[in-house]
Amino acid sequence: MPAATEAAPDGGAAGGGSFVLLSVGQVSFIVGYLWAIGLYIYSIVLQRRKPLQVTLSKAHLSDPDIESKAHQALETTSLVNGDKSSNGASKPTGVLQDFWSTPLVRCMLMDRQAIMDCSDTLLHMVEFGSILVWFFMCDRTDLFWQAEKWYNRDMFWFLFLCLTLVALGSSLQPVRTPLLLNRPQTEEWKGWMQVLFLLYHYFEARELYNAIRIFIAGYVWMTGFGNFSYYYRTGDFSIGRFCQMMWRLNFLVIFCCIVLQNSYMLYYICPMHTIFTVFVYACLGIAPQLNKSPVWMWTKIGLSLGAIFVLWDMKPVFYALWGPFDWLVGYTDPRKPGPDRLHEWYFRSGLDRYIWIWGMVCAYIHPTCMKLLNMIEELPAFRQLTVRALVLSVTALLGWVYYVHIYSLPKLEYNKVHPYTSWIPLTLWCVVRNITPKLRTYSARLYGWLGCITLETYLCQFHIWLHSDIADGQPKYLLSLLPGYPMLNFALVTGLYVFVSNRLFHLTNELKDRIVPHDDNRCLARNIIQMLLLGAFVFGIGWVLERTVVLHMV
């Protein structure tokens, strides 16, 4: 484990300058990172040596036939289907040929053609690794500074208002069909909630705690709503689709845990969305032939509700279930250590344990609600106005009651009622946002874009926007690249932070498309085995190197 660095005062260096011993996982990452850099540089050298040779862009590590297809297109001899590789080595035949002929394995064997074909993929790997190195440099070294958080209500709302005015003034876009809760609208919703969520962390705006709890519930609600809508509409319960979802939710966070030596639960949003995504998949994926029956569908939803009650509201059951997974979801804050490592998981997941089910309900009744809206729009103009005014009046009254009796409660008291009441403000917002066709037609694309990268902005904030300086530590400070200039520093750090988040979004999806096929289970299984073997190999090298360093130090 690394030696914890000392926290610096405001404007001081990020760490205390103590020597940090790298873990096996960190050494393994460095080995893999240097391997990718070496192969990418080698691919450039090979391409410059053969300027007339046509090479493939965006070669898929998961496609064993990619080289043969390219060579057929060039009317040359296929190297994959032959008995010899490009370097003259014997190639296995039969059932093992497919396994050994993938570009990943051939790159490991230094096959020149495979290295050139996979140049783009290697570049993505290098860029991804370089960003993680930047994470480490910002959050675990003395290269930069840290500053104390400060909160100014006027500044907080000024920044949000400016961004909202820019979004509304420059990025409003119509959709072709004004559907209820259409995709651009929900992305916009995620976007502006994420901005407030991030500003809440940056400025430590504690007075907005209850609002942030509602926003997080909104994200979990969308997990239920979006996944239910997809599975119910398409019936696509393929293992490829499921693995792609798991990759999207966990690929980046796994590497953050390895490189920064943090617990999975430090990034609690990821395990929350993962488990609730699995629950939605199980709800609809078990006996999917029953999903079109209203009776059975409501039965499934009811059983989900009952299961959550047993697993979360009965605390001994929760601890019995998750106790064996303490290594995965256990967490201890190094600044506030406690004996119960499962408390964080119980608290965080428990706050939103029911809202994903409400998201499924809303997705299921979505067609009915859309019919009601269409009926309103077919009424005469005056009656339309009357009905909408009545709906908005009831919505406002319910919102006022919620605000006075629930939202205004102190933090600890509010947490007790949040799991059972968070559906109220979310539902009221859906009503207001979709009350007219015009409101459903337009969405702010700027917020929609930010809504697409919420996972990346959530993870990146810990290391290149905020600052913790200790493994598993909460980000108590701000990253400072321009000490003494808080607003200029905010602008610079935020610009880099959003840029990196956007790149990570694209890199995660690019690598997912290359490694996790949607419709080929055989290819998926082979890729998983290869990734596990490669990971074990790199980890073994990392372990040997780490042990060697430790023995030399002793």
Side-chain angles (χ1 to χ4, degrees):
M1 295 297 290
T5 56
E6 297 177 1
D10 184 17
S18 58
F19 178 76
V20 178
L21 181 64
L22 298 179
S23 68
V24 176
Q26 290 171 322
V27 176
S28 302
F29 166 78
I30 293 173
V31 171
Y33 177 55
L34 294 178
W35 171 79
I37 291 177
L39 284 184
Y40 177 66
I41 294 175
Y42 187 41
S43 72
I44 296 176
V45 173
L46 291 174
Q47 288 173 356
R48 290 184 176 180
R49 286 180 179 177
K50 298 182 179 181
L52 299 180
Q53 181 178 357
V54 180
T55 59
L56 287 177
S57 63
K58 296 184 178 180
H60 289 248
L61 289 174
S62 60
D63 189 356
D65 297 322
I66 189 166
E67 183 180 342
S68 62
K69 293 176 182 177
H71 286 200
Q72 289 172 8
L74 294 172
E75 296 183 351
T76 60
T77 303
S78 173
L79 299 178
V80 171
N81 295 326
D83 293 330
K84 299 285 186 178
S85 66
S86 58
N87 58 12
S90 297
K91 298 291 289 184
T93 58
V95 294
L96 293 180
Q97 180 176 353
D98 179 62
F99 185 89
W100 288 100
S101 64
T102 60
L104 172 62
V105 174
R106 291 166 52 222
C107 282
M108 293 289 293
L109 298 176
M110 299 303 294
D111 185 307
R112 294 182 179 182
Q113 186 61 47
I115 292 172
M116 286 191 292
D117 290 344
C118 294
S119 178
D120 284 354
T121 300
L122 291 169
L123 177 59
H124 293 323
M125 295 168 64
V126 170
E127 185 179 358
F128 183 81
S130 299
I131 291 174
L132 290 172
V133 172
W134 175 247
F135 280 18
F136 188 88
M137 292 170 60
C138 291
D139 205 33
R140 293 290 191 272
T141 70
D142 300 336
L143 296 175
F144 306 108
W145 297 265
Q146 65 185 24
E148 297 290 339
K149 292 184 179 182
W150 54 279
Y151 177 55
N152 182 293
R153 182 185 300 163
D154 183 51
M155 178 61 66
F156 181 98
W157 290 110
F158 170 77
L159 291 172
F160 179 69
L161 179 61
C162 285
L163 185 61
T164 301
L165 291 176
V166 170
L168 294 177
S170 63
S171 67
L172 276 183
Q173 291 184 353
V175 295
R176 285 176 294 181
T177 306
L179 292 175
L180 171 67
L181 292 169
N182 55 73
R183 181 65 177 270
Q185 183 189 126
T186 55
E187 296 290 3
E188 174 203 81
W189 186 4
K190 288 195 296 183
W192 66 257
M193 286 197 303
Q194 184 73 350
V195 169
L196 288 173
F197 178 73
L198 295 171
L199 291 177
Y200 164 81
H201 281 167
Y202 193 89
F203 291 102
E204 202 166 5
R206 297 179 181 177
E207 64 183 14
L208 295 178
Y209 174 84
N210 292 357
I212 299 305
R213 294 266 64 84
I214 295 173
F215 296 163
I216 295 174
Y219 295 128
V220 179
W221 178 90
M222 290 184 201
T223 295
F225 180 84
N227 283 288
F228 183 99
S229 298
Y230 176 83
Y231 291 128
Y232 186 78
R233 184 182 71 255
T234 65
D236 178 13
F237 299 100
S238 64
I239 190 65
R241 160 72 183 183
F242 179 79
C243 288
Q244 287 184 337
M245 287 296 299
M246 294 299 102
W247 178 285
R248 177 75 181 92
L249 290 171
N250 293 287
F251 176 70
L252 175 57
V253 71
I254 288 173
F255 278 93
C256 286
C257 292
I258 294 172
V259 175
L260 282 303
Q261 284 192 276
N262 287 331
S263 298
Y264 187 40
M265 264 307 298
L266 178 68
Y267 315 96
Y268 67 90
I269 291 294
C270 294
M272 273 180 52
H273 283 276
T274 297
I275 192 63
F276 294 137
T277 297
V278 171
F279 286 169
V280 177
Y281 181 83
C283 179
L284 277 77
I286 297 175
Q289 69 277 9
L290 303 178
N291 292 342
K292 297 304 179 181
S293 167
V295 173
W296 278 108
M297 194 67 255
W298 285 113
T299 300
K300 284 188 172 187
I301 292 173
L303 291 174
S304 300
L305 194 66
I308 294 300
F309 176 81
V310 172
L311 297 178
W312 263 265
D313 289 75
M314 297 180 180
K315 194 171 182 179
V317 178
F318 178 90
Y319 274 73
L321 173 66
W322 291 104
F325 300 96
D326 177 87
W327 58 274
L328 180 64
V329 293
Y331 174 74
T332 299
D333 189 337
R335 296 188 178 96
K336 298 178 181 178
D340 186 359
R341 284 177 44 81
L342 288 178
H343 169 75
E344 186 77 2
W345 175 231
Y346 179 72
F347 171 70
R348 296 293 187 182
S349 61
L351 284 172
D352 300 308
R353 60 188 182 272
Y354 290 114
I355 195 63
W356 65 275
I357 300 177
W358 180 241
M360 292 202 305
V361 171
C362 291
Y364 188 55
I365 65 174
H366 181 276
T368 302
C369 295
M370 195 64 226
K371 290 179 181 179
L372 291 175
L373 289 174
N374 290 333
M375 288 175 58
I376 294 175
E377 288 153 18
E378 292 172 358
L379 296 174
F382 180 75
R383 294 187 65 183
Q384 283 189 40
L385 181 63
T386 302
V387 171
R388 286 174 180 147
L390 179 62
V391 171
L392 290 177
S393 298
V394 173
T395 301
L397 177 62
L398 294 175
W400 178 81
V401 172
Y402 172 83
Y403 177 83
V404 171
H405 295 284
I406 299 176
Y407 181 83
S408 299
L409 291 173
K411 174 181 176 179
L412 296 180
E413 294 181 30
Y414 175 79
N415 284 340
K416 295 178 181 179
V417 300
H418 173 82
Y420 313 103
T421 60
S422 61
W423 64 274
I424 299 174
L426 298 178
T427 305
L428 296 179
W429 168 254
C430 291
V431 172
V432 173
R433 183 64 178 83
N434 293 273
I435 192 65
T436 68
K438 187 70 71 175
L439 287 174
R440 297 196 299 275
T441 298
Y442 287 92
S443 62
R445 183 56 197 147
L446 176 58
Y447 276 142
W449 172 68
L450 290 172
C452 291
I453 60 173
T454 51
L455 178 62
E456 288 72 25
T457 53
Y458 169 74
L459 294 172
C460 290
Q461 67 168 324
F462 285 85
H463 310 298
I464 60 173
W465 204 46
L466 307 176
H467 190 85
S468 60
D469 81 12
I470 185 174
D472 266 347
Q474 297 292 334
K476 297 294 185 182
Y477 308 98
L478 306 176
L479 177 64
S480 179
L481 302 181
L482 295 174
Y485 299 91
M487 295 312 298
L488 288 177
N489 180 73
F490 173 79
L492 175 61
V493 173
T494 301
L496 291 172
Y497 158 65
V498 174
F499 172 78
V500 169
S501 299
N502 183 56
R503 286 305 305 151
L504 283 172
F505 169 77
H506 289 288
L507 290 171
T508 300
N509 285 314
E510 288 283 349
L511 293 172
K512 178 197 70 178
D513 292 340
R514 284 158 169 73
I515 298 174
V516 189
H518 181 280
D519 299 319
D520 191 340
N521 291 341
R522 181 169 174 268
C523 179
L524 175 63
R526 184 201 61 216
N527 290 349
I528 291 175
I529 294 173
Q530 289 184 343
M531 292 296 107
L532 291 175
L533 292 175
L534 177 61
F537 175 72
V538 174
F539 183 84
I541 296 177
W543 183 84
V544 172
L545 294 176
E546 192 267 348
R547 288 292 91 193
T548 303
V549 172
V550 170
L551 290 175
H552 277 80
M553 290 179 60
V554 173

